[in-house]
């Protein structure tokens, strides 16, 4: 069919097309898109964020990152983040409504239940709108994790395949989150949910999980620094272990008692072999990587590493033979399995009960995740200790809690961004208060130092901006400058004039010159060049790279993000 509108086709054309569709089998995800009011609003107005100043938590100081909590519709929040954090997010953890039919989520302000004939279409439209923006927020090496249960698993998997590509599907983990089981009318007791992991590009790295105590028991020896290891044969086995595979790793070692000596050697490139320049002493034994069947193998290390780590080798007598062993340390973690069944993943004891202990009352939030399950999902998504973690279905704030716990465990500086609505006061009374308790400490649990900024979503109606009063224009300009500062994690405004705004953080200044009139730019540049910190300058302009001429050793210049520059242009008309 051509791109005509549906009503422009004749009855005969439509019937012919339906006949063509029936001829072949189709595979893929097809649903009837459902309009969403918030999407229309974000397309007709400019979504912005306004800070709630009396909810700032800034006790940790400049050595700790500033985390963000955004109250409002998550599509609105994501749209705003798209021009402050595009390509900056390392980890996305998303726990969307499971669409069980139990009236547990709204679409266009109406609850969706199992009597709604378009329940799945509404859910798919809802998720499609958000996941496509979320993908743009991910860094090129970023990973997204989406949790779900059996109700929408098939459709979610196909939707993620479509958005991220089947080739970027990393794995699906089954998490035993309900050991007691949840009975169903179909006769099964449900114990699990799923976590689907997708990468944005092939540049991602799947993180490892901490080894269990049982796994660490395999490394009983303790070195000088308190790290566990075990002794294993220094001779390589298995694939790529023959002399022909790695000829530079076939060389002799001379042994006298417990002392190991590497002889002087010279590489002969013609023969692909070491020329040994000295012989063993009379009381030394020559040891080669030859196995019991007289096969010439290789050592596990090259000779340079032997010279650098002599204490990591040990002489042993095995069946009358002199053999060498080396220290084998566990890697930093183990590859994540696709079945997570540890008791710590139970959402009852480590989700619901945890909230009850924190708040002193029950039923603060339905079905919160285990903080340990979220911790491990974040670990899998990124090994970075300074990862930026986004959760746009933040709910009770488990992801923020998990990020702070990870930082406390390994000294990391991860930053979280939580997005949630305020239905039944969830953002103010649960999400914010939970993070506040984690930072300050609760019951007998010590606090974890961190900073937090609280924002609410809002709109700027861009129609008729040019006709506003100068006072209103300046106020909107201030809002735009605050969004640019948020983009740079610069939250403290130190100056505002009729021509510029200046913000700072511990590392840099963020400067915004928002006037088309450049008569004051030289004065501003002189002031900025005199600062100790480096400066990121955003300059009003009608085209790309409009402020490139103002760059200096101190100042780097950026274009004002596209949605914001359009507002500046409207005001300038």
């Amino acid at each position: 069919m051509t791109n005509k509108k549906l009503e422009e086709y004749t009855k005969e054309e439509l019937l012919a097309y339906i006949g063509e569709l029936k001829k072949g089998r189709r595979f893929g995800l097809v649903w009837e898109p459902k309009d969403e009011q918030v999407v229309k609003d974000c397309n007709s107005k400019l979504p912005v964020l306004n800070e709630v100043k009396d909810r700032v938590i800034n006790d940790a100081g400049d050595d700790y990152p500033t985390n963000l909590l955004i109250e409002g519709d998550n599509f609105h929040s994501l749209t705003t983040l798209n021009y402050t954090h595009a390509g900056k997010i390392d980890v996305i953890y998303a726990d969307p409504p499971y669409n069980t039919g139990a009236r547990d989520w709204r679409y266009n302000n109406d609850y969706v239940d199992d009597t709604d004939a378009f329940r799945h279409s509404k859910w798919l439209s809802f998720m499609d709108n958000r996941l496509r923006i979320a993908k743009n927020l991910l860094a090129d090496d970023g990973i997204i994790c989406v949790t779900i249960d059996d109700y929408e698993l098939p459709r979610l998997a196909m939707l993620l395949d479509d958005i991220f590509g089947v080739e970027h599907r990393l794995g699906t983990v089954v998490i035993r989150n309900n050991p007691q089981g949840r009975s169903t009318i179909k006769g099964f007791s449900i114990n699990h949910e799923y976590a689907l992991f997708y990468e944005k590009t092939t540049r991602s790295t799947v993180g490892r999980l901490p080894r269990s105590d049982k796994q660490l028991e395999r490394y009983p020896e303790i070195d000088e620094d308190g790290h566990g290891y075990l002794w294993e044969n220094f001779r390589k086995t298995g694939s790529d272990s023959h002399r022909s595979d790695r000829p530079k790793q076939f060389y002799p070692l001379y042994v006298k008692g417990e002392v190991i000596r590497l002889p002087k050697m010279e590489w002969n490139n013609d023969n692909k072999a070491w020329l040994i320049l000295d012989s063993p002493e009379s009381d030394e034994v020559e040891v080669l990587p030859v196995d019991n069947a007289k096969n010439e193998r290789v050592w596990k290390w090259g000779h340079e590493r032997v010279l650098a780590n002599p204490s990591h080798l040990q002489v042993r007598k095995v069946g009358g033979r002199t053999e060498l062993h080396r220290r084998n340390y566990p890697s930093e973690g183990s590859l994540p399995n696709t079945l997570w069944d540890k008791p710590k993943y139970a959402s009852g004891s480590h989700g619901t009960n945890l909230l009850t202990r924190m708040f002193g009352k029950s039923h603060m939030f339905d079905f919160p995740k285990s903080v340990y399950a979220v911790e491990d999902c974040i670990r899998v998504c990124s090994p970075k200790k300074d990862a930026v973690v986004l959760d746009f279905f933040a709910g009770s704030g488990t992801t923020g809690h998990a990020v702070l716990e990870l930082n406390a465990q390994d000294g990391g500086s991860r930053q979280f961004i939580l997005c949630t609505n305020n239905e039944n006061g969830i953002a103010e009374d649960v999400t914010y208060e939970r993070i506040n308790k984690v930072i300050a400490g609760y019951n007998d649990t010590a606090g974890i130092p961190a900073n937090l900024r609280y924002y609410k979503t809002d709109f700027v109606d861009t129609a008729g901006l040019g006709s506003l009063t100068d006072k209103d224009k300046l106020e909107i300009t201030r809002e735009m400058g605050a969004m640019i500062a948020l983009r740079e994690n610069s939250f403290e405004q130190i100056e505002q004039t009729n021509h510029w705004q200046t913000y700072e953080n511990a590392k840099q200044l963020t400067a915004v010159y928002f006037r088309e009139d450049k008569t004051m730019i030289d004065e501003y540049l002189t002031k900025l060049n005199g600062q100790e910190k480096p400066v990121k300058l955003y300059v009003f302009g009608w085209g790309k790279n409009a402020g490139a001429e103002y760059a200096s050793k101190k100042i780097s210049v950026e274009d004002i993000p596209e949605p914001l520059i359009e507002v500046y242009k409207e005001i300038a008309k």
Side-chain angles (χ1 to χ4, degrees), residues 281-352:
E281 301 292 338
S282 59
D283 55 353
E284 289 181 326
V285 176
E286 181 184 63
V287 182
L288 289 164
V290 177
D291 63 22
N292 293 333
K294 308 301 182 184
N295 296 309
E296 291 185 334
R297 302 284 184 173
V298 295
W299 298 124
K300 291 181 175 177
W301 297 346
H303 71 286
E304 298 95 341
R305 192 168 177 185
V306 170
L307 287 172
N309 299 280
S311 64
H312 287 209
L313 296 179
Q314 184 185 74
V315 180
R316 290 193 178 186
K317 292 290 185 179
V318 180
R321 287 166 50 94
T322 299
E323 293 198 347
L324 301 179
H325 283 62
R326 66 139 190 185
R327 293 183 186 182
N328 179 17
Y329 289 86
S331 58
E332 291 191 10
S334 59
L335 291 176
N337 296 320
T338 55
L339 174 61
W340 296 3
D341 59 354
K342 295 178 182 177
K344 70 177 185 177
Y345 298 135
S347 58
S349 53
H350 300 292
T352 302

Side-chain angles (χ1 to χ4, degrees), residues 48-51 66-70 77 80-81 83-85 88 415 417 453 455 479-492 503 505 510 512 538:
V48 295
L49 301 176
N50 291 325
E51 185 174 5
T66 298
N67 304 285
L68 308 179
L69 172 55
I70 303 174
S77 301
T80 306
L81 291 172
Y83 48 83
T84 60
H85 287 75
K88 294 183 177 182
Q415 176 194 23
I417 303 174
R453 297 273 175 166
Y455 292 85
E479 291 182 5
M480 298 303 100
M483 295 301 300
I484 294 172
L486 176 62
R487 175 187 176 97
E488 295 293 339
N489 280 325
S490 300
F491 300 99
E492 297 298 332
Y503 295 80
N505 59 29
T510 299
V512 185
Y538 290 80

Side-chain angles (χ1 to χ4, degrees), residues 64-96:
Y64 294 85
T66 298
N67 304 285
L68 308 179
L69 172 55
I70 303 174
E71 174 195 321
D73 184 280
N74 58 5
F75 183 86
H76 189 156
S77 301
L78 288 170
T79 303
T80 306
L81 291 172
N82 198 41
Y83 48 83
T84 60
H85 287 75
K88 294 183 177 182
I89 305 297
D90 299 295
V91 177
I92 295 178
Y93 177 86
D95 180 37

Side-chain angles (χ1 to χ4, degrees), residues 496-525:
Q496 177 174 339
T497 72
N498 289 333
H499 288 77
W500 63 72
Q501 291 167 277
T502 310
Y503 295 80
E504 73 172 341
N505 59 29
K507 297 179 180 179
Q508 72 170 44
L509 296 182
T510 299
V512 185
Y513 190 94
F514 50 80
R515 291 287 192 183
E516 181 183 14
D517 171 18
K518 298 298 188 294
T519 55
M520 302 296 292
I521 189 70
D522 288 338
E523 177 184 333
Y524 194 35
L525 293 173

Side-chain angles (χ1 to χ4, degrees), residues 150-301:
D150 290 290
Y151 282 98
E152 292 291 358
L153 173 67
R155 285 164 287 276
L156 175 63
M158 295 183 74
L159 181 62
L160 289 168
D161 284 348
D162 181 58
I163 294 172
F164 290 89
V166 178
E167 68 277 15
H168 295 302
R169 184 197 304 163
L170 296 173
T172 300
V173 173
V174 178
I175 304 177
R176 190 168 182 258
N177 67 319
N178 189 350
Q180 294 77 26
R182 171 174 53 83
S183 60
T184 67
I185 60 174
K186 295 189 177 181
F188 284 89
S189 180
I190 307 300
N191 300 96
H192 69 280
E193 63 183 7
Y194 306 92
L196 284 67
F197 294 85
Y198 283 74
E199 62 183 355
K200 183 176 181 179
T201 72
T202 55
R203 292 176 53 187
S204 68
T205 300
V206 173
R208 294 176 176 254
L209 296 179
R211 293 182 181 274
S212 66
D213 291 340
K214 186 175 181 180
Q215 289 173 321
L216 292 174
E217 287 174 1
R218 294 182 53 238
Y219 303 87
E221 307 289 340
I222 304 297
D223 69 7
E224 303 82 2
D225 299 316
H227 300 136
Y229 67 93
L230 59 81
W231 290 106
E232 67 174 12
N233 201 304
F234 189 40
R235 186 177 62 248
K236 187 173 174 62
T237 59
S239 60
D240 296 329
S241 65
H242 289 87
R243 181 177 183 176
S244 58
D245 298 322
R246 300 169 178 259
K248 285 192 174 183
Q249 286 176 225
F250 185 90
Y251 52 86
L253 289 168
Y254 298 159
V255 174
K256 176 183 177 181
E258 295 182 357
V259 178
I260 302 168
R261 180 170 70 90
L262 178 72
K264 294 179 180 179
M265 304 184 302
E266 187 177 280
W267 180 250
N268 187 318
N269 202 46
D270 293 333
N271 296 333
K272 301 297 181 186
W274 289 106
L275 177 63
I276 308 304
L277 303 179
D278 64 50
S279 302
E281 301 292 338
S282 59
D283 55 353
E284 289 181 326
V285 176
E286 181 184 63
V287 182
L288 289 164
V290 177
D291 63 22
N292 293 333
K294 308 301 182 184
N295 296 309
E296 291 185 334
R297 302 284 184 173
V298 295
W299 298 124
K300 291 181 175 177
W301 297 346

